[in-house]
Amino acid sequence: MPYQQVVTKTKLMADGFNEARALRVVEIMRDFQSLQHRIAEYSPNPSPEEYFEEGYQVLRQCRAQAAAILAAPFPLDLSQIAGGSGEQEKRHLQRIIIDASARRFQVKKIYLRAVAAVRWLNTRNAILQGVQANQGHAAQLQQANNTLHNELAAITDARIIDDFRNADTRAGYWLQDDPSRTTILEWIRSYSD
């Protein structure tokens, strides 16, 4: 829905912030969309011998997870917005903010994993320099795998939430209804089953 339509449809406000909530949804979904596009750009073509190498597996997993999040429907409960009062619209927008924040969080985590896998791929290519992997490459390739493991382990929920909060604060976004890390993780757990 274009920004103009979102703002126009939120003129009746329960507490004076529905327009800000609608704009916040747009901001969060813009981040989500940008991350989805970046993940989609990562489509390496490994040789049959390399297909099951860890970094390639991580990239395939990231692309599949990102597609699944994109395809997941919004858990809409029409009873919460029936009647269209300002207060009902407020609750509905707050729920959309939680859902959008959870999706953005999940996709950011996937994106960071994909970036680590691409670094692994670039390192691997630099080591191999176009030749087939052999015993002489074993130590360097193992180090690349270890680096990948360390980078994946460093991707934490707290880091992602802090990165978003800092970036959103620097951008001057309205964050009053942004959910906590606990709320995001509970939302993901309740709607991923």
Side-chain angles (χ1 to χ4, degrees), residues 84-97:
S85 74
E87 188 59 35
Q88 288 167 324
E89 187 173 334
K90 171 186 169 184
R91 286 192 306 272
H92 184 63
L93 285 168
Q94 287 172 326
R95 191 163 176 206
I96 293 171
I97 288 171

Side-chain angles (χ1 to χ4, degrees), residues 72-147:
F74 174 73
L76 183 61
D77 180 358
L78 294 175
S79 66
Q80 290 190 348
I81 58 170
S85 74
E87 188 59 35
Q88 288 167 324
E89 187 173 334
K90 171 186 169 184
R91 286 192 306 272
H92 184 63
L93 285 168
Q94 287 172 326
R95 191 163 176 206
I96 293 171
I97 288 171
I98 294 170
D99 182 76
S101 295
R103 289 172 192 261
R104 178 178 74 156
F105 170 85
Q106 289 174 295
V107 170
K108 178 69 171 196
K109 194 173 207 176
I110 292 166
Y111 171 72
L112 292 173
R113 290 175 50 80
V115 167
V118 167
R119 272 195 292 272
W120 170 88
L121 175 61
N122 291 337
T123 301
R124 180 178 173 79
N125 288 339
I127 293 166
L128 297 177
Q129 298 179 0
V131 300
Q132 188 78 13
N134 60 52
Q135 194 58 29
H137 300 114
Q140 289 177 302
L141 292 175
Q142 185 57 52
Q143 181 58 44
N145 287 344
N146 293 343
T147 300

